[in-house]
Amino acid sequence: MKRVLVTGFEPFDGDSVNPSWEVARRLDGWRGAQHAVVAQRLPCVFDAIREALDMLLTDVAPDVVIAVGLAGGRPDVSLERVAINVNDARIPDNDGAQPIDRPVVAGGPPAYFTTLPVKSMLHRLRGAGLPAQVSNTAGTFVCNHTFYTLRHLAETLHPAVRRAGFIHIPFLPEQAARHPGSPSLALDSLVVALRIAVETAVEVETDMQLAAGALH
Ligand code: PCA
């Protein structure tokens, strides 16, 4: 039985909902033959992330961590490949902090790759009729900060975390209605997508490699 921690974020940028938490909380308590999910909400605050994650990794003791965040304007479920060691905030976080060109971890490596099997996830998501991409940037706001911090903690203080990574999701339709022209995905589809992501992370030991172009 593998323990899976799924995190979502509180609303930010003046919004009243964040689909990442709406999806995560619907997975809370979900058990399969090989896994049990615990969902937790994270604040959209740079300075709160390290302590919050450190506590969660200690308390939940997960084998797998999937952090989820909103990327409003993107059309696909974005399987993030890489976290970079920079905070460069376009808007203030929920505490009013707006770091510019600051490291996430001073002296840390420039980047960490995901340890989730993102190509296998991509294959399964598309096979289920869901729009998905492997993304090569998680941005430079709180989501990238969270992804980098998560991978850094897994590499340093929490080696029992065998797989950790980040997934960005699009707006919900009701959010897109306030951002005309923006793509969206229904909550039910997002829940299916995250269930597939969890199952793939639990089941797949070695990520798939297909011929160039087959999964881009
Ligand atoms: N998305 C933001 C932070 C919280 C969230 O859901 C981001 O992409 O950084």
Side-chain angles (χ1 to χ4, degrees), residues 4 30 32 34-35 66 121 124 192-204:
V4 182
W30 176 44
Q34 294 185 48
H35 69 263
I66 302 178
M121 288 178 172
R124 290 197 191 185
V192 172
L194 261 297
R195 283 177 182 253
I196 290 171
V198 167
E199 285 172 340
T200 311
V202 167
E203 292 167 11
V204 172

Side-chain angles (χ1 to χ4, degrees), residues 1-5 56-65 115 150-164:
M1 175 67 65
K2 288 182 180 153
R3 254 192 301 273
V4 182
L5 172 65
L56 283 174
L57 298 184
T58 302
D59 293 350
V60 178
D63 303 283
V64 174
V65 184
T115 45
L150 173 63
R151 287 287 294 109
H152 187 71
L153 289 172
E155 291 293 327
T156 55
L157 296 177
H158 296 275
V161 176
R162 290 193 48 252
R163 301 212 119 139

Side-chain angles (χ1 to χ4, degrees), residues 3-86:
R3 254 192 301 273
V4 182
L5 172 65
V6 177
T7 65
F9 283 100
E10 65 184 5
F12 67 106
D13 198 16
D15 227 333
S16 57
V17 68
N18 189 325
S20 65
W21 174 238
E22 297 309 310
V23 174
R25 70 189 182 89
R26 280 167 177 78
L27 297 192
D28 190 37
W30 176 44
R31 300 174 82 92
Q34 294 185 48
H35 69 263
V37 174
V38 173
Q40 289 286 332
R41 194 170 87 146
L42 294 173
C44 189
V45 173
F46 282 100
D47 281 352
I49 294 301
R50 187 186 166 108
E51 193 181 331
L53 282 179
D54 192 17
M55 272 176 51
L56 283 174
L57 298 184
T58 302
D59 293 350
V60 178
D63 303 283
V64 174
V65 184
I66 302 178
V68 187
L70 167 67
R74 288 196 192 175
D76 303 306
V77 173
S78 296
L79 307 164
E80 299 295 350
R81 192 197 302 261
V82 60
I84 60 174
N85 193 11
V86 64

